[in-house]
Structures are given as structure tokens and as C-alpha cells.
Amino acid sequence: MVYYHILKNAFLVLLQYPSSILTTILSYILRGVFLLVFWNVVNSNVDSNLNLISYFLISNGISDLLMIHNTSIGRELRKSIQRGEINQVLIRPVNIPLYFTFYTIGKLSIKLLVSLIGIIIGMLMIQDITIQGFIIFILFMLIAVALT
């Protein structure tokens, strides 16, 4: 329950900056639009372009959900040590890695939510997806999240 409050507080801090939320959403939309325009110029086959766009949405969503390109947890730990704020965390009865993990998830919650929406849209764009394939995808995503 303590970690939920950590995540919630980090999310509430994020809500204080609506321009940051807007830029996160716009960056995803602009990347998708530029990719669509690029592939329409390069390739006139609409079906293969939709497959490329769905691949883009799913791969970017997965990398954001797993925080592959983002080392925010280590960055937050380093910043709290440099600022002397680590003492406030150390006196709490919490697991330090879990504290920074949930704090980072709360800070990046809008980005993670947009990534999840991108994965769902990408999955819907695939014409020949089966229920078994979708269930296997969800299982592998849960395993990947648990391993990271």
C-alpha cells in the first residue's frame, strides 16, 4: 500500500504540469504522422504501410513499457543522492529499489499510458491476429515486465 502512495504522489506532481502531458502525447502523435508520411512517399502499398505503422506502435510501446531506453530509476537515485534527499527515503521503512521503481512509474505514467494505447492501436491494425496470438503476446509482456 505504501508503494501505491508513492506512485500516486509522483503522478499528482506530474499533473501539475499539463504542458508536459501535452508534449508527451503530441510527440507520439507526431512520430506516427511522420512515419506514415515517410512510408507513403517511399512505398505506395497501403497494406505494407499499415503493417509498418502497427510494428512501430507496438515496438515503441513495448520499449516504453519496459523502460528499455529510459534509465530513470538510476537517474532518480543519483539525483536524490546528489541533493541529499536520499536521507528522507532511507529513514522510511520501504525497500529502496521498489521506492524508486514506483516513483519512476508514477513520473512516467502518462508516457506509459500513451504507450499502452499505442500497443492496443497497433494490435488492432494487424488484420490476421488471432485470440491465441493476442493471449500469448499478453503473457510474454507480463513475463518481460516481471523480468525487468
Side-chain angles (χ1 to χ4, degrees):
M1 194 61 169
V2 171
Y3 300 109
Y4 168 74
H5 290 293
I6 294 167
L7 188 138
K8 183 176 122 185
N9 287 339
F11 179 71
L12 290 175
V13 169
L14 178 68
L15 289 179
Q16 298 299 315
Y17 302 99
S19 61
S20 174
I21 296 170
L22 184 65
T23 56
T24 300
I25 294 170
L26 285 177
S27 71
Y28 273 81
I29 292 171
L30 285 176
R31 282 194 288 174
V33 167
F34 284 135
L35 184 70
L36 183 65
V37 169
F38 173 75
W39 283 111
N40 280 332
V41 168
V42 172
N43 187 6
S44 63
N45 188 353
V46 176
D47 289 336
S48 67
N49 289 349
L50 287 177
N51 287 337
L52 288 169
I53 298 295
S54 65
Y55 171 78
F56 168 79
L57 290 171
I58 293 170
S59 64
N60 277 341
I62 289 171
S63 69
D64 287 340
L65 283 178
L66 298 179
M67 293 187 235
I68 292 172
H69 301 296
N70 195 342
T71 57
S72 292
I73 297 171
R75 187 177 303 125
E76 288 300 325
L77 179 62
R78 179 180 47 82
K79 285 181 182 178
S80 68
I81 291 171
Q82 287 176 343
R83 290 188 222 134
E85 297 169 355
I86 191 75
N87 295 333
Q88 297 171 358
V89 178
L90 291 174
I91 61 173
R92 296 180 185 168
V94 295
N95 185 337
I96 304 301
L98 284 178
Y99 172 86
F100 284 104
T101 300
F102 279 91
Y103 180 78
T104 302
I105 290 171
K107 258 180 83 172
L108 298 175
S109 58
I110 297 298
K111 184 175 184 176
L112 298 176
L113 183 63
V114 171
S115 299
L116 189 61
I117 292 170
I119 289 174
I120 292 169
I121 292 171
M123 295 294 273
L124 292 174
M125 289 175 69
I126 299 174
Q127 289 104 8
D128 56 349
I129 191 166
T130 63
I131 298 296
Q132 293 92 356
F134 183 73
I135 292 171
I136 291 171
F137 172 77
I138 297 297
L139 288 174
F140 278 117
M141 278 298 299
L142 292 174
I143 292 169
V145 168
L147 290 177
T148 58

